[in-house]
Amino acid sequence: MMKELSMHILDIAENSISAGANFIDISIKEDYKRDILEICIKDNGKGINGRILKKIDDPFFTTKSKKVGLGISLLKETCDMCDGSLAIDSSLGKGTLIKAKLRLDHIDLPPLGDMVTTIIALILRGNVDIRYSHKVDEKKFFFDTGKIKEELEGVPINHPKVLNYLKEEIEKGLKEISAGKYMWRDSYAKAYNRGS
Amino acid sequence: MPKLTIEDLKKIRERAKKEIALREGKAKVKIIVHMGTCGIAAGARECLKAILEELEKTDRSDIVVTTAGCIGMCSTEPNITVEIEGQPPVVYQHMDRDKAIQVFRKHVLEGEVLTQFVLARSKEG
């Protein structure tokens, strides 16, 4: 079990990179009125064929040699635990969309956790563009490494000073949209992690 | 610390361009944090965060931090590989936040391999 939803997101996005994606779109919607948390991860990787798609949430199924395929099955387990669902839509040669829906006020819902380090970890791959949009009710944060790279004019996005800038930008943006929401409170995350 | 603006990003860009030109774009040290499902579940992201915080404290721009997939040694995760120019790569095992900080301060900054945490060491430099 992953301690935070942001760890599941990092794991699924790492799968996208392994599948040859150079663009990943991560979208999170926290809708407190409808009590729904929706997480979508879309990539332009090689896609998954129908035969494999049927077995994908089996923890012992993987296309990688000598490994088990725990990533998606762990996320599905978390979704099931929170009265949610996991849907996968994939086309060979076009990419994959993974959509997780969870109930926001479910007692077993893990905290979203450290999205900043998750996004920074993906940026560190360097050759992958990340688009991240995060909506909390009506407030929205949007971040696109493609646009940042244009601004950098050839300076690597993983340059330490650039990374520090990006970290602050994401932290600031997420703080602005998430004020007061329990998913983000440190005390909630600490209590959850102690209990797991 | 005051918050950064897009103007700051432009200044950072210009400063970085000069530094890169001085060292001809070559990084001397590469730190790879392995981020398979096993690594992430075992705490690799916390190790990465610790390393980035340590890097931020230095003024070194010849150190590159990157991530990679699982190396096939799930039971020894989190794994971190340190590659220093002219030296054999070293893979560290069972890392956590504190050990990652030790690896950064001792191996990356001072060149001392922390043998007690080593999983494997290449014979080639």
Side-chain angles (χ1 to χ4, degrees), chain A residues 1-2 4 6-8 10-12 14-15 18 64 67 70-71 74 112-115 117-118 120-122 124-126 148 150-156 158-169 171-172, chain B residues 1-10 12-17 19-20 23 35-38 40-43 45-46 48-49 52-53 55-56 58-72 74:
Chain A
M1 182 71 69
M2 299 278 188
E4 299 175 1
S6 56
M7 291 164 86
H8 283 291
L10 175 58
D11 185 30
I12 300 293
E14 285 284 340
N15 278 350
S18 302
K64 300 167 190 168
K67 288 181 188 175
L70 286 172
L74 286 176
L112 189 60
D114 187 357
M115 270 312 291
T117 310
T118 283
I120 293 292
L122 293 169
L124 286 173
R125 286 296 188 120
I148 300 276
E150 276 173 28
E151 201 64 54
L152 285 169
E153 294 177 359
V155 170
N158 61 355
H159 187 285
K161 288 189 175 70
V162 176
L163 278 181
N164 190 30
Y165 167 82
L166 298 178
K167 197 181 89 182
E168 289 208 3
E169 274 298 296
E171 264 169 10
K172 188 174 71 178
Chain B
M1 188 179 167
K3 291 292 173 197
L4 296 165
T5 64
I6 195 76
E7 288 308 311
D8 295 316
L9 179 63
K10 287 175 183 165
I12 289 166
R13 178 186 72 200
E14 294 314 314
R15 223 178 303 146
K17 272 183 180 173
E19 284 171 8
I20 290 164
R23 59 182 168 83
M35 290 272 184
T37 303
C38 45
I40 294 167
R45 201 185 56 173
E46 279 309 301
L48 173 72
K49 192 176 178 185
L52 290 173
E53 284 167 6
L55 179 60
E56 208 181 306
T58 73
D59 212 19
R60 296 273 299 267
S61 58
D62 60 338
I63 299 170
V64 168
V65 181
T66 187
T67 63
C70 170
I71 55 170
C74 303

